[in-house]
Amino acid sequence: MRQIVFALDLGSTKVACLAAGNGADQSLQVRGVASVPCKGVQKGVVIDLDDTAQAIDKVSRELQSEIGQAVDSFVVGVNGAHLECSNAQGFVPIYPRTRLIS
């Protein structure tokens, strides 16, 4: 069975979902697309959690119905002026040095 990736976009007017996987020649092939109206997000900020959750549930059900496969996880796109990014580096000592990390 080929692996399918599900992408979810939370927009100011709609929630959209796309399913894609490898085609026969290893190219990316879109398996299904669904979108539903949503007024729970404004400028990248969730202002109505219930409306947004219902829209996500509805769009995932529509996509599942279209492709005939369960949606088990999403790659989510969220955008907005309130988001920031900073590069950082951390250090955690491992004692004893021979300890396995899993």
Side-chain angles (χ1 to χ4, degrees):
M1 186 167 155
R2 295 183 182 134
Q3 181 181 5
I4 296 180
V5 175
F6 302 97
L8 182 74
D9 182 59
L10 301 173
S12 295
T13 60
K14 68 182 176 193
V15 173
C17 189
L18 173 125
N22 289 338
D25 60 352
Q26 296 302 312
S27 62
L28 188 62
Q29 181 180 11
V30 175
R31 309 290 175 138
V33 178
S35 68
V36 297
C38 179
K39 295 181 181 176
V41 180
Q42 284 185 354
K43 297 181 181 178
V45 179
V46 175
I47 58 166
D48 185 339
L49 187 58
D50 289 335
D51 185 62
T52 305
Q54 288 173 6
I56 292 170
D57 182 58
K58 185 174 181 181
V59 79
S60 65
R61 288 178 189 271
E62 284 185 15
L63 189 64
Q64 288 177 125
S65 176
E66 183 177 332
I67 66 170
Q69 181 177 338
V71 175
D72 55 358
S73 65
F74 289 113
V75 175
V76 180
V78 180
N79 146 11
H82 64 290
L83 300 176
E84 292 182 7
C85 179
S86 63
N87 293 327
Q89 185 174 5
F91 175 78
V92 177
I94 306 296
Y95 297 109
R97 297 186 90 173
T98 58
R99 187 179 113 203
L100 292 177
I101 301 172
S102 60

